[in-house]
Amino acid sequence: MKAVQRTFQVDRYMPKTAAQARVVARLDDDGVLRYREDRALWGANNWQFVTVRVPADASKAQVMAVINAKTSSRVGDVHTGSRLRSITRGRSVTIAWELGKGARPTSAWGANKSVNQMFFARS
């Protein structure tokens, strides 16, 4: 069975205001995280890069389990591939964004900051 390496930025967003909550709720609407799109949440999030090695035909649940095994408790786990509809201030959500082709943890949006991250799963 062929294995592949996949890298994710796992963000735990903790909106402190109603405006930040609206930003969090909109982040995964299109399934894409663009460079600095979550800037309004800086200081209201914890994040971690996670690189996993999984079978090429791994199910979403299998990949989530491997991601969760590598994330710290301050970031949290992901459990569903469904998109976030809403969130209120004071609540938190963890979202795993898969880095795009050519991106890596030291350059999460690529050399020109033009490689989007893709929604994978959330808590």
Side-chain angles (χ1 to χ4, degrees):
M1 176 90 30
K2 182 180 177 183
V4 294
Q5 184 171 295
R6 297 171 70 174
T7 302
F8 300 86
Q9 178 173 318
V10 186
D11 286 298
R12 180 177 183 192
Y13 297 108
M14 301 164 290
K16 298 174 185 174
T17 66
Q20 285 180 330
R22 286 189 298 274
V23 170
V24 172
R26 285 192 314 258
L27 283 179
D28 70 356
D29 281 354
D30 60 0
V32 175
L33 182 65
R34 292 167 184 78
Y35 179 67
R36 294 192 173 194
E37 185 175 10
D38 61 353
R39 185 177 185 157
L41 296 157
W42 294 357
N45 71 325
N46 292 322
W47 53 272
Q48 177 180 352
F49 288 102
V50 175
T51 299
V52 300
R53 192 157 185 81
V54 294
D57 63 349
S59 70
K60 193 166 206 137
Q62 289 172 313
V63 177
M64 280 189 239
V66 178
I67 291 170
N68 291 340
K70 289 191 157 199
T71 55
S72 72
S73 59
R74 72 181 186 91
V75 172
D77 293 341
V78 293
H79 304 287
T80 181
S82 68
R83 302 274 176 82
L84 184 66
R85 299 281 182 223
S86 66
I87 188 170
T88 57
R89 67 182 176 91
R91 304 222 37 193
S92 68
V93 64
T94 300
I95 301 177
W97 303 98
E98 187 162 13
L99 272 60
K101 187 176 180 176
R104 56 188 183 282
T106 56
S107 182
W109 282 270
N112 296 322
K113 299 179 179 18
S114 61
V115 178
N116 297 327
Q117 296 179 18
M118 302 304 292
F119 174 84
F120 181 75
R122 69 170 177 88
S123 59

